[in-house]
Amino acid sequence: MTNIAITWRRIPERYCIIGSICKTCSTKYFPLRKFCPKCRRKGKMERYQFSPRGTIYSYTKVYAPPAGFELEAPYILAIVKLDEGPMLSAQIVNTQNVEIGDRVEMVFRVIKRDEPEGLIHYGYKFEKITD
Amino acid sequence: MQKVGIVGYGCYVPIYRIKPEEIARVWGEDGERIKKSLNIEQKAVPDLDEDSATMAVEAAKNALVMAQIDSQNIDAIYVGSESHPYAVKPTASIVAEAIKATADLTAADLEFACKAGTAAIQISMGLVLADMAQYALAIGSDTAQGKPSDALEYSAGAGAAAFIIGKNNLVAEIEATYSFTTDTPDFWRRQHAEFPSHGGRFTGEPAYFKHILSATGGLFEKYGYRADDFDYFVFHQPNGKFPLEAAAKLGLEPKKVLPSLVTPKIGNTYSAASLIGLCAVLDKAKAGEKILLTSFGSGAGSDSFAITVTDKIEQARQRVKKNFEFYNKREVFIDYATYAKLKRKIKTL
Ligand SMILES: [Zn+2]
């Protein structure tokens, strides 16, 4: 079973793509950070709402998925470069074909269900957009 | 009295579709006959990672794009569904978190078969009019279940619709609402039962038609409306036929009902069915036009609403790219085997 406290703590990141910004050097981080590696003790970290849009930086098609994702295979796992710069990895839904450079937008989906009686974990995935 | 109404609305429909002919092929039934008798061309099927919570969130986001309000000003969220992902643990708090409306708000899940979404609108209207909420978010969302080979399997779809209810900057004013409720055993699902049971033909006359017509007639009588006052009629749509039959019983021209008829394309989305129909009508209606909405929920009850479109709608709907037509056009057809996998109908899964 997944650690409930970790799942709960990650809700802002996973539901809304909320990360951090260092008010000293303006660097944006995802996921959340408590500490700016550039400014060290001079850094002032605050929460930052990232745009739900980005670009596919790289991707792979997963045919041999980890436990809990068997039914979804084959699926596309991509590194998405958010419009503000940071990168995250996420599943791409509603298509089996993507190219590097494709524009994508966040959608809210089930990430994993702890079967048969555990928690349902929700969070971001992405889908292609045309504009 | 102060005005209350819709500040923003949005819907969501999954990308996958299956046709009745394909379902009928597996069960050895006459697909053409079923398609005609239900007036359903196809129905929407949720992906493995979609449920009533994820669809509710997507619909709510579209409503927020239209309303252009700070989600922190939403003081109440109600989600109506008969397929809440958890038996105990609210869908509404998941939605609240996902649209950043937490923590200063009240939230709850509602259940009244297919009319829990319109019940959410009525409760939201009450809170807004009582100044207990600046904005309230009312959602109907369902991944409808039908037992394999049951008649329901041909119609049970998936979708959601969300309405932000408030007092200012209304795209449509809700002038009046009226409800009609009785204990009628037409359709039910017991705790822990996976699929619903229904009374077959009994679901028609004493259930759907009696409640739809009584609520609509009751609204007319109580507030002095006539059928001629309305440009569009939106009824609950368990299939593509019932709303047209209800219209005939009320002496309406079919053209006043057809713009709201979304079930032939996406199936019966239960708590979302009449509400996605309302979204489809609001996407076309002009300022000053009047819409009559009547939902139906088994068990049984109907909520009726008199709605007038304002001159703000034109600009408001231009902000939303993902409207009903967007989702309606986006379709990927699947076969029954894929459908059985997506709906987890194969028991070893
Ligand atoms: Zn820094």
Side-chain angles (χ1 to χ4, degrees), chain A residues 22-27 29 36-40 43-45:
Chain A
C22 171
K23 283 289 171 184
T24 309
C25 68
S26 300
T27 310
Y29 297 100
C36 178
K38 288 186 185 165
C39 307
R40 306 213 157 237
K44 248 192 85 193
M45 299 299 261

